[in-house]
Amino acid sequence: MNAECPRCAESDQAVSVPRASSDPGLPLGAPERALLLPPPPPVPAKTARSNPASVLYTVAGVITVLGLMHLAKGLPDPEVADPSYRLGYILGPSLLSVPLAVVGLVVQLATRQRRVRVAEEAAGARQAVWERCHRVWQAAWLCRRCRVAFFPKGAVDPAHPASPALAVAQFPMWVTTTAERVFGVPEPTGPR
C-alpha cells in the first residue's frame, strides 16, 4: 500500500512507521527516531508486603530479642524459683512471639492473594490498552521528505478518516488518543 503524505501530496517518500523506525537511512535524529518507536509493553505490577503483617513480625521479633536478652542474664536461682516459673521464664517469650508470627503470616498471605488478584485484573486492562495502541502504531505512516507522521484513510479502521500531518513530537500522544477514539477505553475485567 502506498500512502500519500497530507503535506506534500506525494507517496514516493512515505513509509510505514514500523519500517521507518528500523530504517538506518532515515534522515531523523536520535530524539525523533525514539518518538517513532512502538509503545512500550505494560510492566507487570509488583505486590508489596502487607503493612499489618510487617508490624506483627516486628513485634514478634522484639519480644524474641527481649526474651533472649533476659536468658543471657541467666536463669533464676533453682533454690528460689519454682520449676514451672523457670520453664515459663525460658518459654514465655516464644509463647507470645510464635503466635504473633503465625498471625502475621496468615495476614500476609490473605493480603497478598487479594493484591495479586487486583494486579492481574489491572494487568488485563493495561494489556488491552497496549494492544490497541500498538495496532494504531502499526497503521501509522511517515513522510521522509516532510518528516511528518500521518494515518491514511482507512488505515486504523475502515471508517477512520485520514489524519492531518503530525509533527513527529506529537506522534506518541496522537497514537494513544487515536486508539482511545477508535477502539474505546477498555473496561476492567472481572469483579473487584
Side-chain angles (χ1 to χ4, degrees):
M1 173 182 167
N2 282 339
E4 187 176 288
C5 174
R7 183 175 283 170
C8 66
E10 296 289 334
S11 63
D12 62 335
Q13 293 293 315
V15 294
S16 67
V17 169
R19 184 172 160 224
S21 64
S22 62
D23 186 3
L26 189 64
L28 291 175
E32 291 173 319
R33 188 177 299 277
L35 292 170
L36 293 177
L37 292 176
V43 178
K46 295 179 182 176
T47 56
R49 180 174 291 231
S50 167
N51 288 338
S54 297
V55 169
L56 289 170
Y57 291 147
T58 303
V59 170
V62 167
I63 290 173
T64 302
V65 167
L66 291 175
L68 291 175
M69 287 173 52
H70 282 290
L71 282 176
K73 290 180 183 177
L75 294 174
D77 188 15
E79 295 175 7
V80 178
D82 189 14
S84 60
Y85 176 79
R86 291 181 59 157
L87 185 64
Y89 190 81
I90 294 170
L91 298 178
S94 63
L95 290 176
L96 189 57
S97 63
V98 169
L100 279 175
V102 169
V103 169
L105 181 64
V106 169
V107 168
Q108 178 180 346
L109 291 176
T111 304
R112 180 170 170 74
Q113 288 175 347
R114 181 180 51 82
R115 288 181 180 179
V116 166
R117 187 179 63 246
V118 169
E120 287 173 352
E121 291 171 0
R126 284 193 308 271
Q127 182 68 25
V129 168
W130 177 79
E131 288 172 359
R132 292 170 180 184
C133 288
H134 195 265
R135 184 173 167 193
V136 170
W137 174 81
Q138 289 176 325
W141 285 72
L142 177 80
C143 179
R144 293 180 188 180
R145 179 182 299 116
C146 304
R147 292 185 176 187
V148 294
F150 62 95
F151 296 101
K153 181 178 181 181
V156 176
D157 188 49
H160 193 265
S163 72
L166 308 166
V168 174
Q170 297 172 346
F171 179 69
M173 183 56 71
W174 193 272
V175 166
T176 304
T177 305
T178 303
E180 289 174 358
R181 285 184 185 159
V182 173
F183 302 113
V185 178
E187 295 295 322
T189 57
R192 289 206 175 227

